[in-house]
Amino acid sequence: MTATTSHPFETAGDRELVITRVYAAPRELVFKTWTEPQHVVRWWGPRGCTTTIQEMDVRPGGVWRYVMRTADGTDWTNRIRYREVVVPERLVYDHGSDVEDDPNGFHVITEFHDRGQQTEVVMRMQFASVEARDRAAGYAGANSTFDRLHELLDDLAVEFVVRREFAAPRELVYRAFTEADRLARWWGPKGFTMQTRRHDPRPGGIYHYSMRAADGHEMWGKMKYVELTPPERLVFVNSFADGEGNIIAPPFADDWPQEILHTITLTEQDGKTLVTLRGLPIHATPAQRATFLAGHASMQGGYGSSLDQLTELLATE
């Protein structure tokens, strides 16, 4: 668990502020949440803000540029220039806006200390003046930012990940994930026949489908699309459903989560496509999260069977 305090900062010297947090996660994983874009965008910034990365080059001399949008729609441009990167122990960088010699910029030293089953993060911020330090000390968003990191680490502890490389161009693989006629030929358990009831591939749209076993037993499922960025990324919430598209409890385990957030990324290299599928339970109870974690091995088999069918489909095209 995170060591939370009512006020996030401690003063150290005339121009320095220090934040210390402890996370129940291995140091390597905590370091990745600070340095890998897919993790950073899920926690960086106060609650209610979103972070859009323009570039992120985590190495000495590298630059990270991003835009933070507040809840009221205001955009703030930021630039971080890395001075030192020691994996997984230490990050040193200068943080400011995208203006040279930003008077509000500050120097940061963040250290990741291995504490057995936990990781202690110590972040030291050094400012140009006492006045700049005091303005930062009044910042109300630091606690919620580090709380969001804690929530992300909780999620990553139960996240399911499967990767598969396909000998096909990325555009074709993306179409196999987003076109109903192709989806029906591979998505779902091996031996089941799929039929589409409704398909609306846009944010907020759904894919409502049935799965019929050889003995005639029928189940229904539903994807609710969250994000479609062709041909790179697809995000949707998957659940069991009834014939009308209403979410229902899974038919095989009382404590299985009803909704699973899927994030699928596609990376092309030398004419091949690497697909990374991540599954994460949402709106789940602690018991459901534990059941999901315990089911990772069987999920590897189930998703592996479906991806085998996708391999066969792509071979025909």
Side-chain angles (χ1 to χ4, degrees), residues 199-235:
H199 189 226
D200 185 13
R202 60 178 178 83
I206 68 167
Y207 174 46
H208 184 206
Y209 56 92
S210 68
M211 299 175 288
R212 185 181 296 273
D215 62 3
H217 177 67
E218 186 177 49
M219 297 183 293
W220 292 84
K222 182 174 77 169
M223 299 178 186
K224 183 175 181 180
Y225 293 106
V226 177
E227 177 189 338
L228 296 97
T229 307
E232 302 172 3
R233 177 178 162 94
L234 174 67
V235 182

Short mmCIF file of all heavy atoms in Angstrom, two decimals, residues 199-235:
data_model
loop_
_atom_site.label_atom_id
_atom_site.label_comp_id
_atom_site.label_asym_id
_atom_site.label_seq_id
_atom_site.Cartn_x
_atom_site.Cartn_y
_atom_site.Cartn_z
N HIS A 199 -22.78 -4.30 -35.12
CA HIS A 199 -21.38 -3.88 -35.15
C HIS A 199 -21.32 -2.40 -35.48
O HIS A 199 -21.75 -1.96 -36.54
CB HIS A 199 -20.59 -4.68 -36.20
CG HIS A 199 -19.12 -4.44 -36.14
ND1 HIS A 199 -18.35 -4.20 -37.25
CD2 HIS A 199 -18.27 -4.40 -35.08
CE1 HIS A 199 -17.09 -4.03 -36.89
NE2 HIS A 199 -17.01 -4.15 -35.57
N ASP A 200 -20.75 -1.64 -34.55
CA ASP A 200 -20.64 -0.18 -34.70
C ASP A 200 -19.27 0.23 -34.20
O ASP A 200 -19.10 0.67 -33.06
CB ASP A 200 -21.75 0.50 -33.89
CG ASP A 200 -21.78 2.01 -34.08
OD1 ASP A 200 -21.11 2.50 -35.02
OD2 ASP A 200 -22.47 2.69 -33.30
N PRO A 201 -18.22 0.08 -35.06
CA PRO A 201 -16.84 0.30 -34.60
C PRO A 201 -16.47 1.78 -34.52
O PRO A 201 -15.84 2.34 -35.41
CB PRO A 201 -16.02 -0.43 -35.68
CG PRO A 201 -16.85 -0.32 -36.91
CD PRO A 201 -18.29 -0.37 -36.46
N ARG A 202 -16.82 2.40 -33.43
CA ARG A 202 -16.48 3.80 -33.14
C ARG A 202 -16.49 3.95 -31.63
O ARG A 202 -17.11 3.13 -30.92
CB ARG A 202 -17.48 4.76 -33.76
CG ARG A 202 -18.90 4.56 -33.27
CD ARG A 202 -19.89 5.55 -33.86
NE ARG A 202 -21.24 5.27 -33.38
CZ ARG A 202 -21.74 5.70 -32.20
NH1 ARG A 202 -20.97 6.42 -31.39
NH2 ARG A 202 -22.96 5.40 -31.84
N PRO A 203 -15.81 4.97 -31.09
CA PRO A 203 -15.86 5.17 -29.63
C PRO A 203 -17.30 5.30 -29.14
O PRO A 203 -18.07 6.11 -29.65
CB PRO A 203 -15.08 6.47 -29.43
CG PRO A 203 -14.13 6.51 -30.59
CD PRO A 203 -14.89 5.92 -31.75
N GLY A 204 -17.68 4.47 -28.21
CA GLY A 204 -19.04 4.42 -27.72
C GLY A 204 -19.91 3.40 -28.42
O GLY A 204 -20.98 3.04 -27.92
N GLY A 205 -19.47 2.90 -29.58
CA GLY A 205 -20.21 1.88 -30.31
C GLY A 205 -19.96 0.50 -29.74
O GLY A 205 -19.09 0.30 -28.89
N ILE A 206 -20.72 -0.49 -30.23
CA ILE A 206 -20.58 -1.84 -29.69
C ILE A 206 -20.49 -2.87 -30.82
O ILE A 206 -20.89 -2.62 -31.96
CB ILE A 206 -21.76 -2.22 -28.76
CG1 ILE A 206 -23.06 -2.36 -29.55
CG2 ILE A 206 -21.90 -1.24 -27.61
CD1 ILE A 206 -24.18 -3.02 -28.75
N TYR A 207 -19.92 -4.00 -30.45
CA TYR A 207 -19.95 -5.21 -31.27
C TYR A 207 -20.69 -6.26 -30.44
O TYR A 207 -20.20 -6.72 -29.41
CB TYR A 207 -18.53 -5.66 -31.61
CG TYR A 207 -18.44 -6.98 -32.34
CD1 TYR A 207 -19.27 -7.27 -33.42
CD2 TYR A 207 -17.52 -7.95 -31.95
CE1 TYR A 207 -19.19 -8.48 -34.09
CE2 TYR A 207 -17.42 -9.17 -32.62
CZ TYR A 207 -18.26 -9.42 -33.68
OH TYR A 207 -18.18 -10.62 -34.36
N HIS A 208 -21.90 -6.63 -30.86
CA HIS A 208 -22.74 -7.58 -30.15
C HIS A 208 -22.77 -8.87 -30.96
O HIS A 208 -23.11 -8.84 -32.15
CB HIS A 208 -24.15 -7.00 -29.97
CG HIS A 208 -25.07 -7.87 -29.17
ND1 HIS A 208 -26.45 -7.84 -29.31
CD2 HIS A 208 -24.82 -8.80 -28.20
CE1 HIS A 208 -26.99 -8.70 -28.48
NE2 HIS A 208 -26.03 -9.29 -27.79
N TYR A 209 -22.39 -9.99 -30.36
CA TYR A 209 -22.20 -11.22 -31.12
C TYR A 209 -22.66 -12.43 -30.31
O TYR A 209 -22.78 -12.38 -29.07
CB TYR A 209 -20.73 -11.39 -31.51
CG TYR A 209 -19.78 -11.37 -30.33
CD1 TYR A 209 -19.40 -12.54 -29.69
CD2 TYR A 209 -19.25 -10.16 -29.86
CE1 TYR A 209 -18.54 -12.53 -28.61
CE2 TYR A 209 -18.38 -10.14 -28.78
CZ TYR A 209 -18.03 -11.32 -28.15
OH TYR A 209 -17.18 -11.29 -27.08
N SER A 210 -22.92 -13.53 -31.02
CA SER A 210 -23.26 -14.79 -30.37
C SER A 210 -22.16 -15.80 -30.64
O SER A 210 -21.44 -15.71 -31.64
CB SER A 210 -24.60 -15.33 -30.89
OG SER A 210 -24.48 -15.72 -32.26
N MET A 211 -22.04 -16.76 -29.74
CA MET A 211 -21.08 -17.86 -29.87
C MET A 211 -21.84 -19.17 -29.66
O MET A 211 -22.39 -19.40 -28.58
CB MET A 211 -19.96 -17.72 -28.83
CG MET A 211 -19.14 -16.44 -28.95
SD MET A 211 -17.92 -16.27 -27.62
CE MET A 211 -18.99 -15.88 -26.22
N ARG A 212 -21.87 -20.02 -30.70
CA ARG A 212 -22.64 -21.27 -30.63
C ARG A 212 -21.70 -22.46 -30.68
O ARG A 212 -20.89 -22.59 -31.60
CB ARG A 212 -23.65 -21.33 -31.77
CG ARG A 212 -24.58 -22.56 -31.69
CD ARG A 212 -25.53 -22.58 -32.88
NE ARG A 212 -26.42 -21.43 -32.86
CZ ARG A 212 -27.58 -21.39 -32.20
NH1 ARG A 212 -27.98 -22.46 -31.52
NH2 ARG A 212 -28.33 -20.31 -32.24
N ALA A 213 -21.82 -23.33 -29.68
CA ALA A 213 -20.99 -24.54 -29.62
C ALA A 213 -21.56 -25.61 -30.54
O ALA A 213 -22.69 -25.51 -31.03
CB ALA A 213 -20.93 -25.05 -28.19
N ALA A 214 -20.76 -26.65 -30.76
CA ALA A 214 -21.18 -27.73 -31.66
C ALA A 214 -22.44 -28.43 -31.15
O ALA A 214 -23.24 -28.95 -31.94
CB ALA A 214 -20.04 -28.73 -31.82
N ASP A 215 -22.66 -28.45 -29.81
CA ASP A 215 -23.85 -29.10 -29.25
C ASP A 215 -25.07 -28.18 -29.24
O ASP A 215 -26.12 -28.54 -28.69
CB ASP A 215 -23.56 -29.60 -27.83
CG ASP A 215 -23.21 -28.46 -26.86
OD1 ASP A 215 -23.25 -27.28 -27.27
OD2 ASP A 215 -22.88 -28.76 -25.70
N GLY A 216 -24.92 -26.98 -29.82
CA GLY A 216 -26.04 -26.06 -29.91
C GLY A 216 -26.12 -25.04 -28.79
O GLY A 216 -26.94 -24.11 -28.84
N HIS A 217 -25.28 -25.19 -27.76
CA HIS A 217 -25.29 -24.23 -26.66
C HIS A 217 -24.84 -22.86 -27.16
O HIS A 217 -23.84 -22.74 -27.87
CB HIS A 217 -24.37 -24.70 -25.54
CG HIS A 217 -24.27 -23.73 -24.40
ND1 HIS A 217 -25.31 -23.44 -23.56
CD2 HIS A 217 -23.21 -22.96 -23.98
CE1 HIS A 217 -24.92 -22.54 -22.66
NE2 HIS A 217 -23.65 -22.25 -22.90
N GLU A 218 -25.57 -21.82 -26.78
CA GLU A 218 -25.28 -20.48 -27.29
C GLU A 218 -24.99 -19.52 -26.15
O GLU A 218 -25.67 -19.53 -25.11
CB GLU A 218 -26.47 -19.97 -28.12
CG GLU A 218 -26.19 -18.64 -28.81
CD GLU A 218 -27.37 -18.20 -29.68
OE1 GLU A 218 -28.51 -18.21 -29.17
OE2 GLU A 218 -27.15 -17.85 -30.86
N MET A 219 -23.97 -18.68 -26.34
CA MET A 219 -23.65 -17.60 -25.43
C MET A 219 -23.57 -16.31 -26.24
O MET A 219 -23.35 -16.33 -27.46
CB MET A 219 -22.31 -17.84 -24.71
CG MET A 219 -22.27 -19.07 -23.83
SD MET A 219 -20.68 -19.22 -22.96
CE MET A 219 -19.59 -19.55 -24.35
N TRP A 220 -23.73 -15.19 -25.54
CA TRP A 220 -23.63 -13.88 -26.18
C TRP A 220 -22.52 -13.07 -25.53
O TRP A 220 -22.25 -13.20 -24.33
CB TRP A 220 -24.95 -13.11 -26.07
CG TRP A 220 -26.07 -13.72 -26.85
CD1 TRP A 220 -26.90 -14.74 -26.47
CD2 TRP A 220 -26.48 -13.34 -28.17
NE1 TRP A 220 -27.80 -15.02 -27.45
CE2 TRP A 220 -27.57 -14.18 -28.52
CE3 TRP A 220 -26.04 -12.39 -29.09
CZ2 TRP A 220 -28.23 -14.08 -29.74
CZ3 TRP A 220 -26.69 -12.29 -30.30
CH2 TRP A 220 -27.76 -13.14 -30.63
N GLY A 221 -21.88 -12.23 -26.32
CA GLY A 221 -20.85 -11.34 -25.82
C GLY A 221 -21.01 -9.95 -26.40
O GLY A 221 -21.75 -9.73 -27.38
N LYS A 222 -20.30 -9.00 -25.80
CA LYS A 222 -20.40 -7.62 -26.26
C LYS A 222 -19.07 -6.92 -26.04
O LYS A 222 -18.44 -7.06 -24.98
CB LYS A 222 -21.50 -6.87 -25.51
CG LYS A 222 -21.69 -5.43 -25.99
CD LYS A 222 -22.88 -4.77 -25.33
CE LYS A 222 -22.58 -4.34 -23.91
NZ LYS A 222 -23.65 -3.47 -23.36
N MET A 223 -18.61 -6.19 -27.05
CA MET A 223 -17.50 -5.25 -26.92
C MET A 223 -18.07 -3.84 -26.97
O MET A 223 -18.86 -3.53 -27.85
CB MET A 223 -16.50 -5.39 -28.07
CG MET A 223 -15.83 -6.71 -28.22
SD MET A 223 -14.73 -6.66 -29.68
CE MET A 223 -14.21 -8.36 -29.76
N LYS A 224 -17.66 -3.00 -26.03
CA LYS A 224 -17.98 -1.58 -26.10
C LYS A 224 -16.69 -0.84 -26.41
O LYS A 224 -15.75 -0.85 -25.61
CB LYS A 224 -18.58 -1.06 -24.80
CG LYS A 224 -18.98 0.41 -24.88
CD LYS A 224 -19.67 0.88 -23.62
CE LYS A 224 -20.08 2.35 -23.75
NZ LYS A 224 -20.76 2.84 -22.52
N TYR A 225 -16.64 -0.19 -27.57
CA TYR A 225 -15.41 0.44 -28.01
C TYR A 225 -15.14 1.72 -27.23
O TYR A 225 -16.04 2.55 -27.02
CB TYR A 225 -15.48 0.74 -29.50
CG TYR A 225 -15.50 -0.49 -30.37
CD1 TYR A 225 -16.67 -0.90 -31.01
CD2 TYR A 225 -14.36 -1.26 -30.55
CE1 TYR A 225 -16.69 -2.04 -31.80
CE2 TYR A 225 -14.37 -2.40 -31.33
CZ TYR A 225 -15.54 -2.78 -31.95
OH TYR A 225 -15.56 -3.91 -32.73
N VAL A 226 -13.89 1.87 -26.83
CA VAL A 226 -13.44 3.07 -26.12
C VAL A 226 -12.56 3.93 -27.02
O VAL A 226 -12.69 5.16 -27.05
CB VAL A 226 -12.66 2.68 -24.84
CG1 VAL A 226 -12.12 3.92 -24.13
CG2 VAL A 226 -13.53 1.86 -23.91
N GLU A 227 -11.67 3.29 -27.76
CA GLU A 227 -10.74 4.03 -28.62
C GLU A 227 -10.40 3.19 -29.83
O GLU A 227 -10.18 1.98 -29.72
CB GLU A 227 -9.46 4.35 -27.84
CG GLU A 227 -8.38 5.06 -28.65
CD GLU A 227 -7.06 5.17 -27.90
OE1 GLU A 227 -7.07 5.09 -26.65
OE2 GLU A 227 -6.02 5.31 -28.57
N LEU A 228 -10.37 3.82 -31.00
CA LEU A 228 -9.90 3.18 -32.22
C LEU A 228 -8.92 4.13 -32.90
O LEU A 228 -9.30 5.23 -33.31
CB LEU A 228 -11.05 2.85 -33.17
CG LEU A 228 -12.09 1.83 -32.67
CD1 LEU A 228 -13.29 2.57 -32.08
CD2 LEU A 228 -12.54 0.92 -33.80
N THR A 229 -7.66 3.71 -32.98
CA THR A 229 -6.62 4.51 -33.64
C THR A 229 -5.97 3.62 -34.70
O THR A 229 -4.95 2.97 -34.45
CB THR A 229 -5.57 5.00 -32.63
OG1 THR A 229 -6.22 5.67 -31.56
CG2 THR A 229 -4.58 5.95 -33.29
N PRO A 230 -6.60 3.55 -35.88
CA PRO A 230 -6.06 2.64 -36.91
C PRO A 230 -4.73 3.14 -37.45
O PRO A 230 -4.55 4.35 -37.60
CB PRO A 230 -7.15 2.68 -37.99
CG PRO A 230 -7.89 3.96 -37.78
CD PRO A 230 -7.81 4.25 -36.31
N PRO A 231 -3.81 2.23 -37.73
CA PRO A 231 -3.85 0.78 -37.44
C PRO A 231 -3.04 0.41 -36.22
O PRO A 231 -2.47 -0.68 -36.18
CB PRO A 231 -3.24 0.20 -38.72
CG PRO A 231 -2.13 1.18 -39.03
CD PRO A 231 -2.65 2.55 -38.62
N GLU A 232 -2.98 1.30 -35.24
CA GLU A 232 -2.02 1.16 -34.15
C GLU A 232 -2.60 0.62 -32.85
O GLU A 232 -1.93 -0.10 -32.11
CB GLU A 232 -1.37 2.52 -33.85
CG GLU A 232 -0.65 3.14 -35.03
CD GLU A 232 -0.20 4.55 -34.74
OE1 GLU A 232 -0.41 5.01 -33.60
OE2 GLU A 232 0.35 5.20 -35.64
N ARG A 233 -3.87 0.97 -32.55
CA ARG A 233 -4.34 0.75 -31.19
C ARG A 233 -5.86 0.61 -31.18
O ARG A 233 -6.57 1.29 -31.92
CB ARG A 233 -3.90 1.92 -30.32
CG ARG A 233 -4.34 1.91 -28.87
CD ARG A 233 -3.75 3.14 -28.18
NE ARG A 233 -4.41 3.47 -26.94
CZ ARG A 233 -4.02 3.05 -25.75
NH1 ARG A 233 -2.94 2.30 -25.63
NH2 ARG A 233 -4.68 3.41 -24.65
N LEU A 234 -6.32 -0.27 -30.30
CA LEU A 234 -7.74 -0.53 -30.14
C LEU A 234 -8.02 -0.78 -28.67
O LEU A 234 -7.33 -1.57 -28.04
CB LEU A 234 -8.14 -1.76 -30.97
CG LEU A 234 -9.56 -2.29 -30.85
CD1 LEU A 234 -10.55 -1.29 -31.42
CD2 LEU A 234 -9.68 -3.63 -31.57
N VAL A 235 -9.03 -0.10 -28.12
CA VAL A 235 -9.38 -0.26 -26.72
C VAL A 235 -10.88 -0.51 -26.63
O VAL A 235 -11.67 0.22 -27.23
CB VAL A 235 -9.01 0.98 -25.89
CG1 VAL A 235 -9.34 0.76 -24.41
CG2 VAL A 235 -7.54 1.34 -26.05
#
